[in-house]
Amino acid sequence: MGKQGSSPRGRRVENQDLDISFGVKEHEFRSLDLQHGGDPPIGRRLSGGEYNWDKVVLTRGMKNDSAKFTPCKGVYVGKRQMWWLHRHIRSIVFTLLLMGFLYLLDSLLFLIFDPVMLQSNFSLQGSSKTKVEMVPKAPKESPVKLYERLLNLAASSLAEREFKQESSKLWEEPYPQASSWKPCADKTSPLVVRAGKPRNITGYILISANGGLNQQRVAVCNAVAVASLLNATLVIPKFLYSNVWKDPSQFGDIYQEDYFMDMLKDEVNIIKELPPNLKLLDVEAAGSLITDADLSKEATPDEYIKKILPLLLHNRVVHFLGYGNRLGFDPLPYELQRLRCKCNFHALKFVPEIQQIGSLLVRRIRRYDFARSTLDKQLLGNLIPHVPLRHYHAAEGPSKYLALHLRFEIDMVAYSMCEFGGGETERSELQSYREVHFPLLLERLKKSKSLSQQELRKTGKCPLTPEEAGLVLAGLGFKHGTYIYLAGSGIYGGQSRMQALTTLYPNLVTKEDLLTPSELAPFRNFSSQLAALDFIVCATSDVFAMTDSGSQLSSLVSGFRTYYGGGHAPTLRPSKKRLSAILSRNKTIGWHSFEGKIRKMIDEGQRVQVRGLGRSIYRHPRCKECMCRH
């Protein structure tokens, strides 16, 4: 974004091979001519051209026939000029007016197609280009394009579509049945109240959750369910420091502790610290330290009762170290499943500092200053006004935006074993990264038959590139000027990898673009808190697009939108297998056929379905334990 006080513009990426600048270059060339002393604009040349020509003719006449030139003849020539000017005055005026009209039309087209400002009501500071943290690459590297023919077809389609009205269906859920599901996990079961459930008859549960923000969120809610299952008191969870995430944030730095405890007080006893008499207990020496090796990946309630409850009764404390996805989804008692939903969708509220900056991001990208949906209210609380702070005209409605979680970081790319068109340099970089970060993967691959690149793509093992994400959006019909919020950072391949996407969709921004350095500074060294900002902007977006359905952020955001969206929060879930089959015909497929296949693929992912057996309740909350169907 520009400096404070300037007019920020969305990112524009120059690309000679893929030009959809819609007349901008012509305008720029005229400006460059003037700056470098070139010819003046064509309008100026024509306005004085005839006069200069007459001067040349008259001068030649004087040289060639000076003896015949008399004062009378000079007067006669002057009269002829005046007569000619009088005779052609209408043509001259019409020509000048026409040129003025064309100049104004050119300026208007420039304003329309130059990337639109994302700010009109809020003052922004920051970079003038989208800041996407990149893995270092060689300077001036040419853009990586795997589907250049399709990119050119997409560019042409976007150019044709720019003057047409965009279909409102792009911004709506296609199936009305989605609106019949309503949140109700916060309704306490009558059975719990009648039973008068006793407190703390077994002991205390400590958990240290690993991973990033979203893995930790799942771990917390699983721990709440386990504490209820074992009738134990839960101590506010701790978050482990990771050499990957490098974030020392604890529970209270991200979530509101008192709100969390109060929301669950009728069902689970939660305290902030162990009682003094148990703080000095060496849980490892006592045999109460539980690691992933001690439990199945998706353990059943019976496993917890048989393995953990005896330790809890004996030592009064059990510590789950590196706790995460260690509680299965089925079979699980109705009340525990509902408690998980209540924890995830109701009890975990971000702290006001995160809500405030999240509200700022949403308001700036929308150019609107108050809550528009239940999602806004749930995620931002009182930090976003529930009524307008000023009067809005009908034409000043909020700007719609699409949030894109582009899962194309180097760890994801390297682990996939796929190649992405970067040649030997790319292969060498990714292999070096695997040797450092994924040695067990390399050992496992030595003992098994490796799949070919074609087989990896066919089976959906390869993450979507920014180029492929852009083609999907273009195939769906999103216009060139669509506002796109890019979640995350660290896109592998740098600007050369992003260029195909940003050329098709230049109005692409990140939190670094929308916030000033001082606004972003408190979060810079805390990856989980930065992820919380992405969570808010993605969950409250008009449309959310994911590129990897297995991502924790994408899963939790899509679940949140299902729970609170009321059937008005569409999520785009491309199938990597289906998309691979479509793109395998990239050299021959027509654009109309490509559009049809992309839309069918996305439509199938948007069908309203009840949670299937064993599916995550955080991602698929449409079930009787979490939501009520009206």
Side-chain angles (χ1 to χ4, degrees):
M1 311 301 289
K3 294 180 180 179
Q4 189 171 15
S6 63
S7 297
R9 295 181 178 177
R11 181 210 291 208
R12 296 177 54 201
V13 181
E14 296 180 2
N15 188 337
Q16 294 178 352
D17 297 328
L18 186 59
D19 180 15
I20 54 173
S21 54
F22 307 108
V24 173
K25 288 190 174 181
E26 182 182 350
H27 178 91
E28 290 173 346
F29 290 161
R30 285 200 298 276
S31 300
L32 289 172
D33 287 341
L34 290 173
Q35 291 170 6
H36 297 292
D39 292 333
I42 188 70
R44 295 185 182 178
R45 288 202 299 270
L46 288 176
S47 62
E50 198 66 44
Y51 171 73
N52 293 333
W53 182 84
D54 285 342
K55 284 175 61 178
V56 173
V57 172
L58 289 172
T59 304
R60 287 179 180 172
M62 285 166 40
K63 288 181 179 180
N64 296 337
D65 202 5
S66 59
K68 296 180 180 180
F69 188 82
T70 67
C72 292
K73 289 182 179 180
V75 172
Y76 173 73
V77 171
K79 287 181 177 180
R80 287 190 61 186
Q81 286 182 314
M82 294 298 294
W83 173 82
W84 183 91
L85 183 63
H86 179 73
R87 182 179 180 183
H88 295 283
I89 187 67
R90 292 185 178 180
S91 300
I92 293 172
V93 171
F94 176 78
T95 302
L96 290 174
L97 290 174
L98 179 62
M99 288 188 296
F101 172 76
L102 292 175
Y103 179 80
L104 290 174
L105 181 62
D106 177 78
S107 300
L108 180 62
L109 291 175
F110 175 78
L111 290 174
I112 291 175
F113 295 112
D114 195 48
V116 185
M117 293 187 303
L118 289 176
Q119 298 299 318
S120 62
N121 300 323
F122 300 96
S123 174
L124 293 182
Q125 293 178 343
S127 170
S128 62
K129 294 184 178 180
T130 300
K131 296 179 183 177
V132 182
E133 296 177 12
M134 305 297 179
V135 177
K137 299 286 286 183
K140 297 183 180 179
E141 186 173 354
S142 59
V144 180
K145 298 178 185 176
L146 296 175
Y147 311 102
E148 190 162 5
R149 174 180 169 273
L150 278 178
L151 287 173
N152 289 328
L153 291 176
S156 298
S157 175
L158 289 176
E160 293 174 5
R161 194 181 297 141
E162 199 62 29
F163 292 101
K164 300 177 182 178
Q165 186 173 2
E166 187 176 57
S167 172
S168 60
K169 292 181 179 179
L170 287 172
W171 303 92
E172 299 172 356
E173 291 211 41
Y175 297 99
Q177 302 95 308
S179 61
S180 65
W181 290 88
K182 306 296 181 183
C184 61
D186 58 331
K187 293 179 173 58
T188 303
S189 169
L191 297 176
V192 174
V193 177
R194 283 201 304 268
K197 190 172 183 180
R199 300 295 185 194
N200 193 28
I201 62 170
T202 56
Y204 298 88
I205 289 180
L206 301 171
I207 75 160
S208 298
N210 58 8
L213 173 78
N214 302 291
Q215 292 93 327
Q216 291 166 349
R217 189 180 185 104
V218 170
V220 169
C221 293
N222 286 346
V224 167
V226 169
S228 177
L229 170 70
L230 301 180
N231 202 18
T233 293
L234 177 67
V235 179
I236 287 286
K238 301 290 185 184
F239 295 156
L240 293 175
Y241 180 85
S242 166
N243 289 328
V244 176
W245 301 103
K246 302 183 187 298
D247 185 356
S249 297
Q250 288 302 317
F251 187 96
D253 299 317
I254 300 172
Y255 302 109
Q256 300 177 34
E257 289 185 349
D258 291 337
Y259 185 92
F260 174 73
M261 297 167 64
D262 186 65
M263 179 60 66
L264 299 171
K265 66 181 179 181
D266 292 331
E267 294 158 283
V268 180
N269 192 32
I270 303 175
I271 59 176
K272 293 186 178 182
E273 294 182 348
L274 275 175
N277 62 313
L278 294 175
K279 283 184 177 180
L280 299 178
L281 177 67
D282 187 339
V283 292
E284 185 174 7
S288 286
L289 186 66
I290 309 298
T291 66
D292 284 354
D294 300 313
L295 285 170
S296 305
K297 183 177 181 181
E298 293 190 355
T300 63
D302 286 345
E303 188 171 345
Y304 277 93
I305 291 172
K306 291 177 181 177
K307 290 184 177 180
I308 308 302
L309 184 57
L311 291 173
L312 193 60
L313 292 170
H314 185 266
N315 297 322
R316 299 283 293 163
V317 179
V318 167
H319 183 191
F320 292 96
L321 181 63
Y323 194 65
N325 193 18
R326 284 294 180 267
L327 179 64
F329 291 103
D330 294 293
L332 203 69
Y334 172 92
E335 200 53 44
L336 292 183
Q337 205 76 285
R338 186 198 60 79
L339 191 55
R340 270 173 150 177
C341 284
K342 183 176 181 179
C343 170
N344 183 52
F345 298 115
H346 293 274
L348 292 175
K349 297 285 187 186
F350 293 121
V351 294
E353 293 82 359
I354 291 175
Q355 288 182 327
Q356 182 179 15
I357 299 301
S359 171
L360 203 58
L361 284 168
V362 172
R363 289 156 56 197
R364 283 179 176 171
I365 196 169
R366 280 188 189 155
R367 297 179 292 166
Y368 223 47
D369 63 9
F370 71 98
R372 295 176 53 235
S373 68
T374 304
L375 280 163
D376 291 353
K377 297 172 185 176
Q378 289 296 327
L379 286 164
L380 301 173
N382 295 324
L383 272 299
I384 188 168
H386 291 185
V387 294
L389 298 180
R390 65 185 181 87
H391 176 71
Y392 286 89
H393 297 290
E396 295 181 26
S399 299
K400 293 179 180 179
Y401 74 95
L402 179 148
L404 173 64
H405 185 214
L406 192 57
R407 192 72 170 89
F408 200 73
E409 296 88 353
I410 189 170
D411 59 334
M412 185 81 170
V413 172
Y415 195 85
S416 72
M417 299 302 296
C418 301
E419 295 180 4
F420 300 92
E424 188 56 41
T425 301
E426 177 190 285
R427 283 191 287 271
S428 176
E429 285 178 351
L430 296 181
Q431 183 62 18
S432 298
Y433 187 90
R434 292 182 196 109
E435 290 172 357
V436 174
H437 298 278
F438 303 130
L440 295 179
L441 171 65
L442 296 179
E443 287 296 323
R444 190 167 69 247
L445 290 173
K446 290 178 182 178
K447 301 175 183 178
S448 60
K449 181 182 177 181
S450 59
L451 298 175
S452 67
Q453 289 300 311
Q454 188 176 18
E455 289 171 325
L456 287 170
R457 292 192 180 280
K458 188 176 180 180
T459 53
K461 298 290 193 298
C462 301
L464 266 61
T465 66
E467 178 184 7
E468 291 167 339
L471 287 172
V472 169
L473 296 179
L476 289 171
F478 287 98
K479 298 181 78 169
H480 175 69
T482 301
Y483 299 150
I484 298 178
Y485 177 85
L486 181 64
S489 59
I491 302 301
Y492 176 71
Q495 299 291 351
S496 65
R497 180 67 70 179
M498 287 293 295
Q499 193 173 55
L501 173 60
T502 54
T503 302
L504 291 174
Y505 294 100
N507 287 339
L508 185 147
V509 294
T510 65
K511 51 187 171 291
E512 289 82 5
D513 294 311
L514 295 169
L515 298 174
T516 66
S518 61
E519 289 166 345
L520 195 60
F523 305 95
R524 279 218 175 269
N525 297 319
F526 304 97
S527 60
S528 291
Q529 296 179 46
L530 289 172
L533 296 177
D534 280 338
F535 188 102
I536 288 172
V537 184
C538 288
T540 58
S541 63
D542 295 278
V543 173
F544 174 60
M546 63 175 75
T547 58
D548 179 27
S549 59
S551 158
Q552 284 279 17
L553 174 65
S554 293
S555 296
L556 292 177
V557 166
S558 65
F560 225 85
R561 290 169 65 81
T562 297
Y563 191 78
Y564 283 117
H568 304 288
T571 298
L572 311 181
R573 303 179 180 89
S575 163
K576 289 187 285 187
K577 290 182 182 180
R578 293 277 298 276
L579 185 60
S580 174
I582 296 169
L583 292 175
S584 66
R585 298 174 51 200
N586 73 88
K587 294 182 180 179
T588 58
I589 192 171
W591 185 251
H592 182 72
S593 177
F594 178 81
E595 286 180 318
K597 292 182 180 298
I598 291 294
R599 288 170 183 169
K600 184 178 180 182
M601 173 186 70
I602 295 298
D603 180 77
E604 290 180 358
Q606 291 181 308
R607 291 177 179 173
V608 178
Q609 296 178 338
V610 177
R611 184 183 75 92
L613 187 68
R615 305 296 295 274
S616 168
I617 207 158
Y618 307 118
R619 180 180 175 182
H620 303 281
R622 285 193 188 108
C623 59
K624 61 182 181 179
E625 297 92 343
C626 288
M627 302 183 74
C628 301
R629 189 172 185 177
H630 297 279

